[in-house]
Each structure stands twice: as structure tokens, then as C-alpha cells.
Amino acid sequence: MKIKDLVYLIAFVLVIITISEMIGFQSISVGDISIGLLPLVFAIVITMILGLQFFRKGFWKQIYSKVNIEFSGKYLLFIMLPLMARYGADVAPQIREILQIGWVFIFQEFGNLGTVIFGLPIAIMIGLRREAIGATLGIGREGELAYISEKYTLDSKEGRGVLSLYIIGTLFGAIFFSILAPILLGLGIRVEALAMASGVGSGSMMSASSASLVAQMPEMESTILAYASASQLLTSFLGTFTMVFLAAPLQQFMYKLLVRGEK
């Protein structure tokens, strides 16, 4: 990657961040429910719009070049490292309370099986076959991407399935979670439960969900961030084992049961 391309990419990111922060947190009321839209949501929407083929001309074509996209995807993990450190800092002050209900965090890991139990039959019903294996193994983040790429390669049908879900999650995941969390809070679900549910294994989704909850209940900021961070750390660690030893075998069994006669 050329230095000039890197400079343009960094400048573009800084401009998007500045615009999004200037917009700031916005709240939309739908009946008795208040939906919070974070600067992160606006940043995603702006970059999505500018990434449309219609705008990919001249300077914008250079920004959204294949080299820049591959570079951003390759080093995404390093960009997330400061966020992982923040998780630990948020968990530490609430560690005693978290340990007291630790079994709940472990029990929620079985929720990772939901994508297989509910998603696989629906995917097959709408016409997917081997692609459904990659698309329903989990929420399609880095863990699932690595597992599918190692076992099937990304050029396979399974690889196309997980890549499709990864792209969709990147584009819409944070937006969906930032809207869903305050809606569920308005329906009376406890904020602690929603904070725990925010840790699904995606840093952007967790941040969007927990920040939306904090915006609704700022007096519980430390509790929300601690629960969400602990859940995220546990999901990142245990989620891999759940996927390999539970989700993948269950998925293979269900696939053979639902798609009979396929070799």
C-alpha cells in the first residue's frame, strides 16, 4: 500500500469521525419508546452511502479502492485492541458483582446455538444449501470467518455464506443493535439483561448497543458497560469452543436431516 493512499484513507476516516461527532447523539421517539442513534451509526451510514457505485468516481474511487478495503480489513483487529483494553477497565470495578452471577454469563453462551437452531432451517427453506453452513454457524464475525476459511476456504460455497453474513453484519449490525436495545428497554426488559445481551462477539455491535442503553439510563453507565464488557470478553473466549464443539456438530447433524440425499 502506497503512503499516499494511506494518508488519504486516514484523512477520510478523520473527516467522517468529525462529521459524525458533530451530529452527535440523536434520539427519535416512536410512541413511548425512545430510539437512540449514536455517532457510530451516522459514521456507518455516511461511509455506506459514499461507498455506493454512483459515488465511486475520481477521489472517492481511490478511497474505496480494493487496496484500501483489503488493508482496512487486514488491520481491523489491531484497531480493536484499544477497545479490548477498555473492556478490561470497565469490568474491573464491578468484578465482585459479575462473579456473583457468573453462571448467567456462561449460560448465555448457549444462545450462540440460536443461529443454527433457528437460522439454518430458514436458510434452507429460502433456497440456500451449503452457503447456509457458513451463514448460520454464528453471527458471522472474525471467529466464524476464521473457522469456515480454514475448514472450507473462502472460495467455497460455505465461504461465500460466511462472507455474505460478515459484510451484512459490518454494514447493518451496529445500526440494528443501537436501535433494538432501547426498544427492548422501553418494553420493560431489565437493563442488566440487555447489557449482557450486548456482548455478542462483535465490538462494534456491543459498543452501539451498550452506548444506546447508557444514553437512556446514564445513572447506570458503569453497570451497563461492565456487564456488556464482561459478556463480550466471555463470548470472545468461550464462543470459539461453543462454535467448534457444539454449534458445528449440531449444524452438520441438522443439515443432513434437513437436506436429504445431498452428497
Side-chain angles (χ1 to χ4, degrees):
M1 185 178 190
K2 297 180 180 179
I3 297 297
K4 181 178 70 172
D5 294 329
L6 180 61
V7 171
Y8 284 156
L9 181 61
I10 293 174
F12 173 72
V13 170
L14 291 176
V15 169
I16 296 298
I17 291 173
T18 301
I19 294 173
S20 302
E21 289 295 333
M22 289 176 64
I23 296 173
F25 177 84
Q26 300 293 326
S27 181
I28 301 175
S29 296
V30 181
D32 296 331
I33 299 174
S34 180
I35 300 173
L37 299 178
L38 306 170
L40 173 64
V41 174
F42 295 110
I44 294 173
V45 171
I46 292 171
T47 51
M48 283 173 55
I49 292 173
L50 293 178
L52 294 174
Q53 198 65 39
F54 176 78
F55 292 101
R56 292 196 186 189
K57 301 173 183 177
F59 177 75
W60 296 121
K61 185 176 181 179
Q62 186 174 354
I63 290 294
Y64 286 89
S65 66
K66 184 178 180 181
V67 173
N68 283 353
I69 293 172
E70 290 178 350
F71 175 85
S72 300
K74 182 179 180 180
Y75 292 101
L76 179 64
L77 179 62
F78 295 99
I79 297 171
M80 298 298 289
L81 288 177
L83 182 61
M84 297 299 290
R86 172 66 188 273
Y87 292 165
D90 288 333
V91 170
Q94 307 287 336
I95 190 65
R96 289 186 179 180
E97 183 180 354
I98 289 171
L99 290 175
Q100 288 176 354
I101 59 170
W103 67 271
V104 179
F105 286 96
I106 295 175
F107 183 75
Q108 79 161 11
E109 288 306 307
F110 289 102
N112 290 336
L113 300 177
T115 57
V116 175
I117 295 172
F118 300 108
L120 183 62
I122 294 174
I124 291 174
M125 185 174 63
I126 63 176
L128 297 181
R129 286 297 180 263
R130 301 298 299 181
E131 296 87 353
I133 291 177
T136 64
L137 183 59
I139 63 169
R141 305 323 295 160
E142 285 74 16
E144 291 81 12
L145 194 67
Y147 179 84
I148 293 295
S149 65
E150 287 294 324
K151 187 170 183 178
Y152 301 102
T153 77
L154 293 180
D155 291 329
S156 64
K157 293 181 179 179
E158 294 86 352
R160 289 196 291 272
V162 73
L163 272 175
S164 299
L165 194 66
Y166 184 84
I167 293 171
I168 291 172
T170 301
L171 294 177
F172 301 108
I175 298 174
F176 177 80
F177 272 81
S178 67
I179 294 174
L180 181 63
I183 289 177
L184 295 177
L185 182 64
L187 294 176
I189 297 178
R190 290 187 59 176
V191 68
E192 293 90 347
L194 292 173
M196 290 173 59
S198 299
V200 294
S202 167
S204 60
M205 295 178 192
M206 190 281 291
S207 299
S209 179
S210 58
S212 294
L213 293 172
V214 169
Q216 299 296 318
M217 303 187 70
E219 70 279 4
M220 295 190 66
E221 178 177 3
S222 60
T223 299
I224 292 171
L225 294 179
Y227 276 50
S229 299
S231 178
Q232 177 72 9
L233 285 172
L234 198 60
T235 298
S236 299
F237 175 67
L238 292 181
T240 301
F241 297 97
T242 304
M243 173 182 65
V244 174
F245 296 110
L246 292 178
L250 176 62
Q251 186 186 57
Q252 291 295 330
F253 172 77
M254 289 182 59
Y255 186 84
K256 291 178 181 178
L257 193 65
L258 294 169
V259 185
R260 297 180 182 275
E262 182 178 281
K263 294 181 180 181

